[in-house]
Amino acid sequence: MSRKRIVAGNWKMNTTLEEAHALASEVARGAGEEVDLVLIPPTCFLATVLDATASSAVSVGAQNMHPAASGAFTGETSGPMLTSLGAQYVVCGHSERRHVFGESSAFIGEKVSAAHANGLIPILCVGETLEDREAGRTDAVVLDQLEAGLQGLESSQIPGTVIAYEPVWAIGTGRTASPEQAQEVHASIRARLAERFGGEIAGRVRIQYGGSVKPGNAAELLGQPDIDGALVGGASLVASSFLAIADA
Ligand code: PEP
């Protein structure tokens, strides 16, 4: 089953307006079409990044959204807002949302459903903490997050959902899961998708790895059979590094 690779750059809470425009322009100039490239800037710079990438193969996504379409949710951004800007993707349940902002798996599942309802492609993040891994709970934690994240979806929406496996202990730490460790969890995720939705659908879902991906380790990670791309944090803030990961 061939799946188009997807490499996404999560800029987190970094860049100014000028830096966002310059970084997006540089990525757009270097982007090819063999891999889906997605830039995920801070929400306040979505418009400028959309503008800078308008005539390129690069897509743009948001780092987060609220499940409600509108209302009294100060500081939040809704699906219809993102769609009206021209965003195509939205990250749901990044580990910083789960662990720093206390978002529950059920709330993240609502976001994933709302993303689809608004024509956005959700990137559902799942991943275990170091404590979970050391206690032998990796699969249990990751698969629970997966089930809760996909809970409100129809089978037909599963192939249009991207999953990002991001071990919490590897995010922003310089520690990377070994290709074998990552492949093992990716295979468990795909096996669970096959159990729930059938092998044909599971075979179409793209599963990214995230956690200190860099140009030097990307080829080996992305060479694993169930790793279909990368969700990149730190290294996506330098255009040449991000493009080198896509090349790998
Ligand atoms: C991330 O933010 O999703 C991430 C994986 O960060 P980093 O690449 O910096 O570990």
Coordinates of all heavy atoms in Angstrom, one line a residue, residues 21-105:
H21 N 7.1 35.2 7.9 CA 7.0 35.4 6.4 C 8.2 34.9 5.8 O 8.2 34.2 4.7 CB 6.7 36.8 6.1 CG 6.3 37.0 4.7 ND1 7.2 37.2 3.7 CD2 5.0 37.0 4.1 CE1 6.5 37.3 2.5 NE2 5.2 37.2 2.8
A22 N 9.4 35.2 6.3 CA 10.7 34.9 5.7 C 10.9 33.3 5.7 O 11.3 32.7 4.7 CB 11.8 35.5 6.5
L23 N 10.6 32.7 6.8 CA 10.7 31.2 6.9 C 9.8 30.5 6.0 O 10.2 29.6 5.3 CB 10.5 30.8 8.4 CG 10.5 29.3 8.8 CD1 11.9 28.7 8.4 CD2 10.3 29.2 10.3
A24 N 8.5 30.9 5.9 CA 7.6 30.3 5.0 C 8.0 30.5 3.6 O 7.9 29.6 2.8 CB 6.2 30.8 5.3
S25 N 8.5 31.7 3.2 CA 8.9 32.0 1.9 C 10.0 31.1 1.5 O 10.1 30.5 0.4 CB 9.3 33.4 1.7 OG 8.3 34.3 2.1
E26 N 11.0 30.9 2.4 CA 12.2 30.1 2.1 C 11.8 28.6 1.9 O 12.2 27.9 1.0 CB 13.2 30.2 3.2 CG 14.6 29.9 2.7 CD 15.6 30.1 3.8 OE1 15.4 30.9 4.8 OE2 16.6 29.3 3.8
V27 N 10.9 28.1 2.7 CA 10.4 26.7 2.6 C 9.6 26.6 1.3 O 9.8 25.6 0.5 CB 9.5 26.3 3.8 CG1 8.8 25.0 3.5 CG2 10.3 26.2 5.1
A28 N 8.8 27.6 0.9 CA 8.0 27.5 -0.3 C 8.9 27.4 -1.5 O 8.7 26.7 -2.5 CB 7.1 28.7 -0.4
R29 N 10.0 28.2 -1.5 CA 10.9 28.2 -2.6 C 11.6 26.9 -2.8 O 11.9 26.5 -3.9 CB 12.0 29.3 -2.4 CG 11.6 30.7 -2.9 CD 12.8 31.6 -3.0 NE 13.5 31.8 -1.7 CZ 13.1 32.7 -0.8 NH1 12.1 33.5 -1.0 NH2 13.8 32.8 0.3
G30 N 11.9 26.2 -1.7 CA 12.6 24.9 -1.8 C 11.7 23.7 -1.9 O 12.2 22.5 -2.0
A31 N 10.4 23.8 -1.8 CA 9.5 22.7 -1.7 C 9.3 22.0 -3.0 O 9.0 22.6 -4.0 CB 8.1 23.1 -1.1
G32 N 9.4 20.6 -2.9 CA 9.0 19.8 -4.1 C 7.6 19.2 -3.9 O 7.0 19.6 -2.9
E33 N 7.2 18.3 -4.8 CA 5.9 17.8 -4.7 C 5.8 16.3 -4.3 O 4.7 15.8 -4.2 CB 5.2 17.9 -6.1 CG 5.2 19.4 -6.6 CD 3.9 19.9 -7.2 OE1 3.1 19.1 -7.6 OE2 3.8 21.1 -7.2
E34 N 7.0 15.7 -4.1 CA 7.0 14.3 -3.8 C 6.5 13.9 -2.5 O 6.0 12.8 -2.2 CB 8.4 13.6 -4.0 CG 9.2 14.1 -5.1 CD 9.9 15.4 -4.8 OE1 10.9 15.4 -4.1 OE2 9.5 16.5 -5.4
V35 N 6.6 14.9 -1.6 CA 6.2 14.8 -0.2 C 5.1 15.9 0.1 O 5.3 17.0 -0.4 CB 7.4 15.0 0.7 CG1 7.0 15.0 2.2 CG2 8.4 13.9 0.5
D36 N 4.1 15.6 0.9 CA 3.2 16.7 1.4 C 3.9 17.4 2.5 O 4.3 16.8 3.5 CB 1.9 16.1 1.9 CG 1.0 15.6 0.8 OD1 1.1 16.1 -0.3 OD2 0.1 14.8 1.1
L37 N 4.1 18.7 2.2 CA 4.8 19.6 3.2 C 3.8 20.5 3.8 O 3.0 21.1 3.1 CB 5.8 20.5 2.5 CG 7.2 19.9 2.3 CD1 8.1 21.1 1.8 CD2 7.8 19.3 3.5
V38 N 3.8 20.5 5.2 CA 2.8 21.3 5.9 C 3.5 22.3 6.9 O 4.3 21.8 7.7 CB 1.8 20.4 6.6 CG1 0.6 21.3 7.2 CG2 1.2 19.3 5.8
L39 N 3.2 23.5 6.8 CA 3.7 24.5 7.8 C 2.6 24.8 8.8 O 1.5 25.0 8.5 CB 4.2 25.7 7.2 CG 5.4 25.6 6.2 CD1 5.8 26.9 5.7 CD2 6.6 24.9 7.0
I40 N 3.0 24.7 10.1 CA 2.1 24.9 11.2 C 2.6 26.0 12.1 O 3.2 25.8 13.1 CB 1.9 23.6 12.0 CG1 1.6 22.4 11.0 CG2 0.8 23.7 13.0 CD1 1.4 21.1 11.6
P41 N 2.3 27.3 11.7 CA 2.8 28.4 12.5 C 1.9 28.8 13.6 O 0.8 28.2 13.7 CB 2.7 29.5 11.4 CG 1.6 29.2 10.5 CD 1.5 27.7 10.5
P42 N 2.2 29.7 14.4 CA 1.3 30.2 15.4 C 0.0 30.8 14.7 O 0.1 31.3 13.6 CB 2.1 31.4 16.1 CG 3.5 31.1 15.9 CD 3.6 30.4 14.5
T43 N -1.1 30.6 15.3 CA -2.4 31.0 14.7 C -2.4 32.4 14.2 O -2.9 32.7 13.1 CB -3.5 30.8 15.7 OG1 -3.5 29.5 16.2 CG2 -4.9 31.0 15.1
C44 N -1.7 33.3 14.9 CA -1.8 34.8 14.5 C -1.0 35.0 13.2 O -1.2 36.1 12.6 CB -1.3 35.7 15.6 SG 0.4 35.2 16.2
F45 N -0.2 34.0 12.8 CA 0.6 34.2 11.6 C 0.1 33.3 10.4 O 0.8 33.2 9.4 CB 2.1 34.0 11.8 CG 2.7 34.9 12.9 CD1 3.6 34.4 13.7 CD2 2.3 36.2 13.0 CE1 4.2 35.3 14.7 CE2 2.8 37.1 13.9 CZ 3.8 36.6 14.8
L46 N -1.1 32.7 10.6 CA -1.6 31.8 9.6 C -1.7 32.6 8.3 O -1.4 32.1 7.2 CB -2.9 31.2 10.0 CG -2.8 30.0 10.9 CD1 -4.2 29.6 11.4 CD2 -2.2 28.8 10.1
A47 N -2.3 33.8 8.3 CA -2.6 34.5 7.1 C -1.3 34.8 6.4 O -1.2 34.7 5.1 CB -3.4 35.8 7.4
T48 N -0.3 35.3 7.1 CA 1.0 35.7 6.4 C 1.6 34.4 5.8 O 2.2 34.5 4.7 CB 1.9 36.5 7.3 OG1 2.9 37.1 6.5 CG2 2.6 35.6 8.4
V49 N 1.6 33.3 6.5 CA 2.2 32.1 6.0 C 1.4 31.5 4.8 O 2.0 31.1 3.8 CB 2.3 31.0 7.1 CG1 2.7 29.6 6.6 CG2 3.4 31.5 8.2
L50 N 0.1 31.7 4.8 CA -0.7 31.3 3.7 C -0.4 32.2 2.5 O -0.2 31.7 1.4 CB -2.2 31.4 4.0 CG -2.8 30.2 4.8 CD1 -4.0 30.6 5.6 CD2 -3.1 29.1 3.9
D51 N -0.1 33.4 2.7 CA 0.2 34.3 1.7 C 1.6 34.0 1.1 O 1.8 33.9 -0.1 CB 0.2 35.8 2.3 CG 0.5 36.8 1.3 OD1 -0.2 36.8 0.2 OD2 1.4 37.7 1.5
A52 N 2.5 33.7 2.0 CA 3.9 33.4 1.5 C 4.0 32.1 0.8 O 4.9 31.9 0.0 CB 4.9 33.4 2.8
T53 N 3.1 31.2 1.0 CA 3.2 29.9 0.4 C 2.1 29.7 -0.7 O 2.0 28.6 -1.3 CB 2.9 28.7 1.4 OG1 1.7 29.0 2.1 CG2 4.0 28.7 2.5
A54 N 1.4 30.8 -1.1 CA 0.2 30.7 -1.9 C 0.5 30.0 -3.3 O -0.3 29.2 -3.7 CB -0.4 32.1 -2.2
S55 N 1.6 30.3 -3.9 CA 1.8 29.7 -5.2 C 2.8 28.5 -5.2 O 3.5 28.2 -6.1 CB 2.2 30.7 -6.2 OG 3.3 31.4 -5.7
S56 N 2.8 27.8 -4.0 CA 3.7 26.7 -3.9 C 3.0 25.4 -3.5 O 1.7 25.4 -3.4 CB 4.7 27.0 -2.7 OG 4.1 26.8 -1.5
A57 N 3.7 24.3 -3.4 CA 3.1 23.0 -3.0 C 2.9 22.9 -1.5 O 2.4 21.9 -1.1 CB 4.0 21.9 -3.5
V58 N 3.2 23.9 -0.8 CA 3.2 23.8 0.7 C 1.7 24.0 1.2 O 1.0 24.9 0.7 CB 4.1 24.9 1.3 CG1 4.0 24.9 2.8 CG2 5.5 24.6 0.9
S59 N 1.3 23.2 2.1 CA 0.0 23.4 2.8 C 0.2 24.0 4.2 O 1.4 24.0 4.7 CB -0.7 22.1 3.0 OG -0.9 21.5 1.8
V60 N -0.8 24.5 4.8 CA -0.7 25.3 6.0 C -1.7 24.7 7.0 O -2.9 24.4 6.6 CB -0.9 26.8 5.8 CG1 -0.8 27.5 7.1 CG2 0.2 27.3 4.8
G61 N -1.3 24.6 8.3 CA -2.2 24.1 9.3 C -2.1 24.9 10.6 O -1.2 25.7 10.7
A62 N -3.0 24.7 11.5 CA -3.0 25.3 12.8 C -2.6 24.4 13.9 O -2.7 23.1 13.7 CB -4.4 25.8 13.1
Q63 N -2.1 24.9 15.0 CA -1.5 24.1 16.1 C -2.6 23.6 17.0 O -2.4 22.7 17.8 CB -0.6 24.9 16.9 CG 0.7 25.3 16.1 CD 1.6 26.2 16.8 OE1 1.5 26.4 18.1 NE2 2.5 26.8 16.1
N64 N -3.8 24.1 16.9 CA -4.9 23.8 17.8 C -6.2 24.4 17.3 O -6.2 25.3 16.5 CB -4.5 24.4 19.2 CG -5.5 23.9 20.3 OD1 -6.1 22.9 20.2 ND2 -5.6 24.8 21.3
M65 N -7.3 23.9 17.8 CA -8.6 24.5 17.5 C -9.6 24.2 18.7 O -9.3 23.2 19.4 CB -9.2 24.1 16.2 CG -9.6 22.6 16.2 SD -10.4 22.1 14.6 CE -12.1 22.6 14.9
H66 N -10.6 24.9 18.8 CA -11.7 24.6 19.7 C -12.8 23.8 19.0 O -13.0 24.1 17.8 CB -12.3 25.9 20.4 CG -13.1 25.6 21.6 ND1 -14.4 25.2 21.4 CD2 -12.8 25.6 22.9 CE1 -14.9 24.9 22.7 NE2 -14.0 25.2 23.5
P67 N -13.4 22.8 19.6 CA -14.4 22.1 18.9 C -15.7 22.9 18.5 O -16.4 22.5 17.6 CB -14.8 20.9 19.8 CG -14.0 21.1 21.1 CD -13.1 22.2 20.9
A68 N -16.0 23.9 19.3 CA -17.2 24.7 19.0 C -17.0 25.6 17.8 O -15.9 26.0 17.5 CB -17.6 25.5 20.2
A69 N -18.1 25.9 17.1 CA -18.0 26.7 15.9 C -17.8 28.2 16.2 O -17.2 28.9 15.5 CB -19.2 26.5 15.0
S70 N -18.4 28.6 17.3 CA -18.3 30.0 17.7 C -18.8 30.1 19.2 O -19.3 29.1 19.7 CB -19.2 30.9 16.8 OG -20.5 30.5 17.0
G71 N -18.7 31.2 19.8 CA -19.2 31.4 21.1 C -18.3 32.0 22.1 O -17.2 32.6 21.8
A72 N -18.7 31.9 23.4 CA -17.9 32.6 24.5 C -16.7 31.7 24.9 O -16.8 31.1 26.0 CB -18.9 32.9 25.6
F73 N -15.7 31.7 24.1 CA -14.5 30.9 24.4 C -13.3 31.8 24.2 O -12.6 31.7 23.2 CB -14.4 29.7 23.5 CG -15.6 28.7 23.7 CD1 -16.6 28.7 22.8 CD2 -15.7 27.9 24.9 CE1 -17.7 27.9 23.0 CE2 -16.8 27.1 25.0 CZ -17.8 27.1 24.1
T74 N -13.1 32.8 25.1 CA -12.1 33.8 24.9 C -10.7 33.2 24.6 O -10.3 32.3 25.4 CB -12.0 34.7 26.2 OG1 -13.3 35.2 26.4 CG2 -11.0 35.8 26.1
G75 N -10.1 33.7 23.6 CA -8.7 33.2 23.3 C -8.6 32.0 22.4 O -7.6 31.6 22.0
E76 N -9.8 31.4 22.1 CA -9.8 30.2 21.3 C -10.0 30.5 19.8 O -10.5 31.6 19.4 CB -10.9 29.3 21.8 CG -10.6 28.7 23.1 CD -9.4 27.7 23.1 OE1 -9.3 26.9 22.2 OE2 -8.7 27.7 24.1
T77 N -9.8 29.5 18.9 CA -9.9 29.6 17.5 C -10.8 28.4 17.0 O -10.6 27.3 17.4 CB -8.6 29.5 16.8 OG1 -7.7 30.5 17.4 CG2 -8.7 29.8 15.3
S78 N -11.8 28.7 16.2 CA -12.7 27.6 15.8 C -12.4 27.1 14.4 O -11.6 27.7 13.6 CB -14.1 28.2 15.7 OG -14.3 29.1 14.6
G79 N -13.0 25.9 14.1 CA -12.8 25.3 12.8 C -13.2 26.3 11.6 O -12.5 26.4 10.7
P80 N -14.4 26.9 11.7 CA -14.8 27.8 10.6 C -13.8 28.9 10.4 O -13.6 29.4 9.3 CB -16.2 28.3 11.1 CG -16.7 27.2 11.9 CD -15.5 26.6 12.7
M81 N -13.2 29.4 11.5 CA -12.2 30.5 11.4 C -11.0 30.0 10.6 O -10.6 30.7 9.7 CB -11.8 30.9 12.8 CG -12.8 31.7 13.6 SD -12.1 32.0 15.2 CE -13.6 32.6 16.0
L82 N -10.6 28.8 10.9 CA -9.4 28.2 10.2 C -9.7 28.0 8.8 O -8.9 28.3 7.9 CB -8.9 26.9 10.9 CG -8.5 27.1 12.4 CD1 -8.1 25.8 13.0 CD2 -7.3 28.1 12.4
T83 N -10.9 27.4 8.5 CA -11.3 27.1 7.1 C -11.4 28.4 6.3 O -11.0 28.5 5.2 CB -12.6 26.4 7.1 OG1 -12.5 25.3 8.0 CG2 -12.9 25.9 5.7
S84 N -11.9 29.5 7.0 CA -12.1 30.7 6.2 C -10.8 31.4 5.9 O -10.7 32.1 4.9 CB -13.0 31.7 7.0 OG -12.4 32.2 8.1
L85 N -9.8 31.1 6.7 CA -8.4 31.6 6.3 C -7.8 30.9 5.2 O -6.9 31.4 4.5 CB -7.5 31.5 7.6 CG -7.6 32.5 8.7 CD1 -6.9 32.0 9.9 CD2 -7.0 33.8 8.2
G86 N -8.2 29.6 5.0 CA -7.5 28.7 4.0 C -6.6 27.7 4.6 O -5.9 27.0 3.9
A87 N -6.7 27.5 5.9 CA -5.9 26.4 6.5 C -6.4 25.1 6.1 O -7.6 24.9 5.8 CB -5.9 26.5 8.0
Q88 N -5.6 24.1 5.9 CA -6.0 22.7 5.5 C -5.9 21.7 6.6 O -6.5 20.6 6.5 CB -5.3 22.3 4.3 CG -5.6 23.1 3.0 CD -4.6 22.8 1.9 OE1 -3.6 23.5 1.8 NE2 -4.9 21.7 1.2
Y89 N -5.0 21.9 7.5 CA -4.7 20.9 8.6 C -4.9 21.5 10.0 O -4.8 22.8 10.1 CB -3.2 20.4 8.5 CG -2.9 19.6 7.3 CD1 -2.7 20.2 6.0 CD2 -2.9 18.2 7.4 CE1 -2.4 19.4 4.9 CE2 -2.6 17.4 6.3 CZ -2.3 18.0 5.1 OH -2.0 17.2 4.0
V90 N -5.1 20.7 11.0 CA -5.0 21.2 12.3 C -4.5 20.1 13.3 O -4.9 18.9 13.1 CB -6.4 21.7 12.8 CG1 -7.5 20.6 12.8 CG2 -6.3 22.3 14.2
V91 N -3.5 20.5 14.1 CA -3.0 19.5 15.1 C -4.0 19.4 16.2 O -4.5 20.4 16.8 CB -1.6 20.0 15.6 CG1 -1.1 19.1 16.7 CG2 -0.6 20.1 14.4
C92 N -4.3 18.2 16.6 CA -5.2 17.9 17.8 C -4.5 17.1 18.8 O -4.0 16.0 18.5 CB -6.4 17.2 17.3 SG -7.4 18.1 16.0
G93 N -4.4 17.6 20.0 CA -3.8 16.8 21.1 C -2.3 16.7 21.1 O -1.8 15.7 21.5
H94 N -1.6 17.8 20.7 CA -0.2 17.8 20.8 C 0.2 17.5 22.3 O -0.6 17.9 23.2 CB 0.4 19.1 20.4 CG 1.9 19.1 20.3 ND1 2.7 19.3 21.4 CD2 2.8 18.9 19.3 CE1 3.9 19.2 21.1 NE2 4.0 18.9 19.8
S95 N 1.3 16.9 22.6 CA 1.6 16.5 24.0 C 1.6 17.8 24.9 O 1.3 17.7 26.1 CB 2.8 15.7 24.1 OG 3.9 16.6 24.0
E96 N 2.0 18.9 24.3 CA 2.0 20.1 25.1 C 0.6 20.6 25.5 O 0.3 21.1 26.6 CB 2.8 21.3 24.4 CG 4.3 21.0 24.4 CD 5.0 21.4 23.2 OE1 4.6 22.2 22.5 OE2 6.1 20.8 23.0
R97 N -0.4 20.3 24.6 CA -1.8 20.6 24.9 C -2.3 19.6 26.0 O -3.0 20.0 26.9 CB -2.7 20.4 23.7 CG -2.4 21.4 22.5 CD -2.4 22.8 22.8 NE -3.5 23.3 23.7 CZ -3.6 24.6 24.1 NH1 -2.7 25.5 23.8 NH2 -4.6 24.9 24.9
R98 N -1.9 18.3 25.9 CA -2.3 17.3 26.9 C -1.6 17.6 28.2 O -2.3 17.6 29.3 CB -1.9 15.9 26.4 CG -2.6 15.4 25.2 CD -2.1 14.0 24.9 NE -2.6 13.5 23.6 CZ -3.8 12.8 23.4 NH1 -4.5 12.5 24.4 NH2 -4.1 12.4 22.2
H99 N -0.3 17.8 28.2 CA 0.4 17.8 29.5 C 0.6 19.2 30.1 O 0.7 19.3 31.3 CB 1.7 17.1 29.3 CG 1.6 15.7 29.0 ND1 1.1 14.7 29.9 CD2 1.7 15.0 27.8 CE1 1.0 13.5 29.3 NE2 1.3 13.7 28.0
V100 N 0.7 20.3 29.3 CA 0.9 21.6 29.9 C -0.5 22.2 30.1 O -0.7 22.9 31.1 CB 1.7 22.5 28.9 CG1 1.9 23.9 29.5 CG2 3.1 21.9 28.6
F101 N -1.4 22.0 29.2 CA -2.7 22.7 29.3 C -3.8 21.7 29.8 O -5.0 22.1 29.8 CB -3.1 23.3 27.9 CG -2.1 24.4 27.6 CD1 -1.1 24.1 26.7 CD2 -2.2 25.6 28.1 CE1 -0.2 25.1 26.4 CE2 -1.3 26.7 27.8 CZ -0.3 26.4 26.9
G102 N -3.5 20.5 30.0 CA -4.4 19.5 30.7 C -5.6 19.1 29.8 O -6.7 18.8 30.3
E103 N -5.4 19.1 28.5 CA -6.6 18.6 27.7 C -6.7 17.1 27.8 O -5.8 16.4 27.7 CB -6.3 19.0 26.2 CG -6.4 20.5 26.0 CD -6.3 20.9 24.5 OE1 -6.2 20.1 23.6 OE2 -6.2 22.1 24.3
S104 N -8.0 16.7 27.9 CA -8.3 15.3 28.0 C -8.4 14.7 26.6 O -8.7 15.3 25.6 CB -9.6 15.1 28.8 OG -10.7 15.5 27.9
S105 N -8.3 13.3 26.6 CA -8.4 12.6 25.4 C -9.8 12.8 24.8 O -10.0 12.8 23.6 CB -8.1 11.1 25.6 OG -6.8 10.9 25.8

